Amino acid sequence: MIYHDVIVVGSGLAGQRAALEAINNDVDVAIISKLKPMNSHSVLAQGGINIAIDDLDQNNYFEDTIKGSDYLADQDSVEILVNNSKHEIEFIENIERIFDRNNDGEYSPKKFGGAITPRTLRASDSTGFSILNILYDQLLNSKVKIYEDYQVLKLITNDEQISGFIGLNYNSTNSNCIELFSCKSLVLATGPSGYVFSNTTNSSSCTGDGIALAVSAGAKLKDMEFIQFHPTSLVGSNILITEAARAKGAYLLNSDGERFMKNYAPEQLELAPRDIISRSMIKEIIEGRSFSDLNEPYLHLSFTHFEPEFIKNNFNDIQIVSREFANTDITKHNLKIVPAQHYFMGGISINNSAESNVKGLFAAGECACVSVHGANRLGGNSLLECIVFGQIAGRSAAIFSKNSHKIFITDEDSHISKFNKELSECFTNSSNNNILYISSLRNDMRSIMTTYAGIIRDENNINLGLMKIHNLKNLIHSNQFKSKSSHPNISEISEFFELSFMIELSEIILLSALNRKESRGAHFRSDYSSRNDNDWLKHIIIQKINSTYDISYSPVRITTLNPDVRNY
Ligand SMILES: Cc1cc2nc3c(=O)[nH]c(=O)nc-3n(C[C@H](O)[C@H](O)[C@H](O)COP(=O)(O)OP(=O)(O)OC[C@H]3O[C@@H](n4cnc5c(N)ncnc54)[C@H](O)[C@@H]3O)c2cc1C
């Protein structure tokens, strides 16, 4: 059995920041990841990262984030995010100056959606990659042990405290691929869950593993109904066109050639928060002001009002992506775009020390919910959350491990053989009528979620979605998946767990969406179309107790800013 004091699951921005902080606290630290660290999803973040530019901006940034969250974010947590932004950006910049600067050598931030002043720093078009690259270099030069190509399949607890987990070693032989790890504290930093939806900017690795692992270990989840849909993805492929495009002046147009955002957000126009823009786009589509010559209706993102030279200097990456993936020259033609699932505001419920309710279990990054984004995240706030709360999680996990005794997982062999036996029972290499194919169930699940848990929801549709997801869940429990041999191989095991995780998440998202009978931020219910602070200024908490989901509520922590009308 492999032992480390602190194990961080996930080698993206949050995980690497957590591991680097933990190792500075004189404990034995490992990081384990199903992807190679520099393939983590954080590398895709092009847009930028937010910082409170100066003391005055600290308050503006706080207020923008709370208003952007539709007043659901916990204000003491947002204070931590904002107040630590300068320190964490300096941590990066002290290693290497990567952020764009003006001729005077000062930061040249951009104004992103929902912000009243420019505060989004960019490292050219590769902010996420550049930050992760710096951290990875530090990690390679540290004593942190890195296990890459390992997927965590199940957490192990003793007396409601984390003691370890079962992992799948991708580089092993089929018969020895299941391994046992033990630790005193565990940080889950497993990133996004967007592959639950068929229309997503997330890649196929974003299967919500950490959230599903945590809920099965007794952890509480929070805000799971709040799913962000980004306004601008390429029609068909859902490749993201970064918000930086609109920050630098690109327009959204409907089929009448009108900048329709003036009807929804007269002041901020294309720089309103994402929930408002995506919903406005759906309204334009429903009311027939979209284009309909393709399989799905779409709208336009326009750069044609810029000089070609300006486009070349400012939108180089977008120009390349548009040419290669949409066959469009943006100097001459508009881009065809649709909203697509992009980000989970909800996740593993943690406090301001990044602790979950399970002893020894911590979380950070997109799989966690502290909650700084509430019902809608502002662009640039996720990367910042990853490093601010990644650092906090690493420190908390290290302190916890120093103050606690090692819990021994006894009988390693029987743990593994029991797990292998249960696994084998889920697969068969024989052919019969009840055989299941992972890819087919996965496709069904993803289209169910896109249809029933999208931008506009109502009770009937959510219930229909739930019924269909329950059918898939029952199938998994009563039938067997097709395997190439008598025991499943590594990729079959990996995909089986990812599918199970996503089906669990789908059910939880729909349950939360059904429960919240109001519209707030990214959660819009056509049958309860207004925000209702009297009844719903609270978080929905979900916990799995004896295989059923218990729903409870926690109040929103308000320090200074009372809920107000949200005009842009
Ligand atoms: C296209 C795109 C652009 C974006 N642009 C921006 C932006 O400009 N600014 C911004 O603030 N936000 C942006 N976001 C959001 C932001 O990038 C992510 O929320 C953030 O990077 C997530 O970081 P993370 O560390 O939580 O997860 P990730 O970077 O995804 O890392 C997750 C890690 O967990 C590991 N893992 C997962 N499951 C397991 C398992 N079972 N076992 C072992 N390891 C596991 C993976 O291998 C990976 O290393 C963007 C998102 C997308 C999709």
Side-chain angles (χ1 to χ4, degrees), residues 108 240 406:
S108 57
L240 184 79
K406 185 172 166 186

Side-chain angles (χ1 to χ4, degrees), residues 10-11 13-14 33-35 40-42 45 47-48 152 191-192 209 366 382-383:
S11 61
L13 209 48
S33 179
K34 67 179 182 181
L35 300 176
S40 297
H41 222 242
S42 295
V152 176
D209 304 13
E366 190 168 336
S382 172
L383 294 183

Side-chain angles (χ1 to χ4, degrees), residues 421-555:
K421 184 168 173 291
E422 285 170 5
L423 199 55
S424 289
E425 285 167 5
C426 300
F427 286 88
T428 179
N429 63 345
S430 67
S431 293
N432 64 56
N433 289 340
N434 294 330
I435 212 82
L436 298 174
Y437 291 88
I438 291 176
S439 57
S440 137
L441 256 70
R442 191 171 50 213
N443 289 344
D444 288 352
M445 176 208 67
R446 299 182 71 215
S447 71
I448 291 168
M449 290 304 283
T450 297
T451 309
Y452 300 104
I455 295 175
I456 297 191
R457 304 162 171 181
D458 65 44
E459 183 163 332
N460 284 345
N461 276 310
I462 299 172
N463 271 325
L464 260 174
L466 259 176
M467 191 189 72
K468 287 171 186 283
I469 291 293
H470 285 155
N471 287 344
L472 294 187
K473 203 172 162 186
N474 291 338
L475 271 182
I476 289 194
H477 287 137
S478 54
N479 292 25
Q480 287 176 307
F481 284 97
K482 177 75 181 162
S483 171
K484 289 192 177 124
S485 63
S486 56
H487 189 75
N489 65 34
I490 291 172
S491 70
E492 288 167 346
I493 298 171
S494 165
E495 288 188 32
F496 167 72
F497 273 88
E498 289 180 342
L499 175 65
S500 314
F501 293 155
M502 289 192 287
I503 289 186
E504 173 131 47
L505 251 57
S506 300
E507 185 176 4
I508 293 171
I509 292 164
L510 287 162
L511 279 174
S512 300
L514 186 64
N515 193 263
R516 184 172 287 278
K517 293 183 173 49
E518 65 154 355
S519 290
R520 183 184 297 272
H523 172 73
F524 183 82
R525 290 272 305 249
S526 55
D527 45 353
Y528 298 94
S529 58
S530 309
R531 195 177 84 191
N532 172 356
D533 288 336
N534 283 340
D535 298 325
W536 286 103
L537 190 60
K538 58 189 179 189
H539 302 283
I540 295 179
I541 306 288
I542 294 218
Q543 191 175 20
K544 197 171 174 181
I545 299 175
N546 299 331
S547 303
T548 59
Y549 298 110
D550 177 71
I551 296 184
S552 59
Y553 304 95
S554 72

Side-chain angles (χ1 to χ4, degrees), residues 54-108:
D54 50 32
D55 289 348
L56 178 66
D57 191 45
Q58 202 137 320
N59 192 46
N60 290 339
Y61 182 12
F62 168 81
E63 291 193 2
D64 285 349
T65 301
I66 302 298
K67 186 177 170 191
S69 81
D70 217 348
Y71 297 91
L72 193 79
D74 286 316
Q75 298 189 6
D76 54 345
S77 308
V78 176
E79 280 165 14
I80 293 174
L81 180 82
V82 169
N83 297 349
N84 283 285
S85 61
K86 189 157 176 267
H87 176 266
E88 278 301 311
I89 296 286
E90 278 173 4
F91 171 80
I92 307 286
E93 286 259 301
N94 285 340
I95 303 167
E96 192 181 332
R97 279 163 62 112
I98 53 167
F99 294 112
D100 298 351
R101 289 179 151 77
N102 61 22
N103 292 339
D104 298 329
E106 291 160 347
Y107 291 139
S108 57

